Amino acid sequence: MGTPRDVAVLVGSLRKESFTRKVAKALIALAPPSLKLEIVEIGQLPLYNQDDESHPPPASAAFKARVRKADGVLFLTPEYNRSVPGVLKNAIDIASRPYGDSAWNGKPGGVVSVSPGAIGAFGANHHLRQSLVFLNVPTLQQPEAYVGNAAKLFDASGGLVDDSVREFLRKYIEAYAQWVERILAK
Ligand SMILES: Cc1cc2nc3c(=O)[nH]c(=O)nc-3n(C[C@H](O)[C@H](O)[C@H](O)COP(=O)(O)O)c2cc1C
């Protein structure tokens, strides 16, 4: 087997006990050996300001360089007011600019949305996909991943307690691994 594909994992919650981050960690543990998933932190990023495009703040430049280096990008998002949390949208905007020099372009993507609610942050998942269409991130369509009832999925140490969700996440990340190979082979 060759070198594992480098996948940048973005988590759209800064909360210490974030369910979304716990799902991200579960996916990292379940990923096949063809993928190396790494959470790329976004909480340290300044707010995007177009005035800074020619001389971006160091944290923004470093984040963009990290995204550019990745073979693929996996987005884990909670839902805030039926959309994507501002912290995640900010990170997406930072690595997308200046116009014509986006770091996202062409990278095989995946979207997993997470909520304690029953509908699994469907609204955030699809708002995010709208940006990914514009950014030319070819994004895995099936299986869709709406992880609901997230408050009931983990034990006190963050381990998954639901076997059916574990199996679903395993299938998801295997499908994503195949998607990465398919897109990068083009
Ligand atoms: C500002 C705000 C808006 C929210 N809006 C929604 C929403 O539209 N849909 C939803 O399912 N949950 C909503 N929630 C509840 C979040 O799903 C919940 O706080 C969740 O734990 C956040 O994800 P995390 O655990 O990864 O931090 C909202 C929470 C906050 C703080």
Side-chain angles (χ1 to χ4, degrees):
M1 199 192 75
T3 313
R5 301 295 192 183
D6 170 29
V7 177
V9 179
L10 279 84
V11 177
S13 170
L14 306 183
R15 200 168 73 84
K16 279 196 206 72
E17 291 299 321
S18 162
F19 301 126
T20 311
R21 185 172 284 260
K22 287 176 186 169
V23 173
K25 286 185 175 165
L27 283 169
I28 289 170
L30 292 165
S34 66
L35 296 183
K36 184 174 180 299
L37 272 57
E38 181 185 281
I39 295 178
V40 176
E41 299 298 342
I42 59 175
Q44 78 290 2
L45 294 172
L47 284 178
Y48 172 78
N49 180 340
Q50 196 173 0
D51 288 341
D52 296 337
E53 271 195 358
S54 57
H55 53 283
S60 300
F63 172 72
K64 185 176 178 186
R66 176 65 187 90
V67 171
R68 203 185 297 276
K69 183 166 86 70
D71 296 309
V73 285
L74 189 56
F75 296 89
L76 276 284
T77 187
E79 180 170 272
Y80 280 6
N81 300 309
R82 295 283 182 258
S83 187
V84 176
V87 69
L88 182 55
K89 183 60 165 52
N90 185 53
I92 290 170
D93 293 342
I94 284 171
S96 74
R97 299 293 294 189
Y99 182 75
D101 188 36
S102 167
W104 305 108
N105 190 35
K107 302 213 187 268
V111 176
V112 177
S113 57
V114 180
S115 172
I119 53 178
F122 173 89
N125 190 307
H126 283 261
H127 268 186
L128 178 51
R129 285 172 185 272
Q130 182 170 323
S131 293
L132 298 182
V133 168
F134 178 69
L135 293 169
N136 192 33
V137 173
T139 303
L140 179 65
Q141 309 275 359
Q142 294 292 340
E144 297 161 278
Y146 311 108
V147 180
N149 301 310
K152 298 188 179 132
L153 300 181
F154 300 96
D155 61 24
S157 55
L160 263 177
V161 294
D162 187 312
D163 289 342
S164 67
V165 171
R166 182 183 301 103
E167 212 33 52
F168 171 75
L169 292 176
R170 187 192 313 282
K171 286 193 176 130
Y172 180 85
I173 200 66
E174 280 168 5
Y176 176 71
Q178 287 173 17
W179 180 245
V180 168
E181 294 312 317
R182 201 167 131 194
I183 297 301
L184 294 181
K186 282 184 182 167

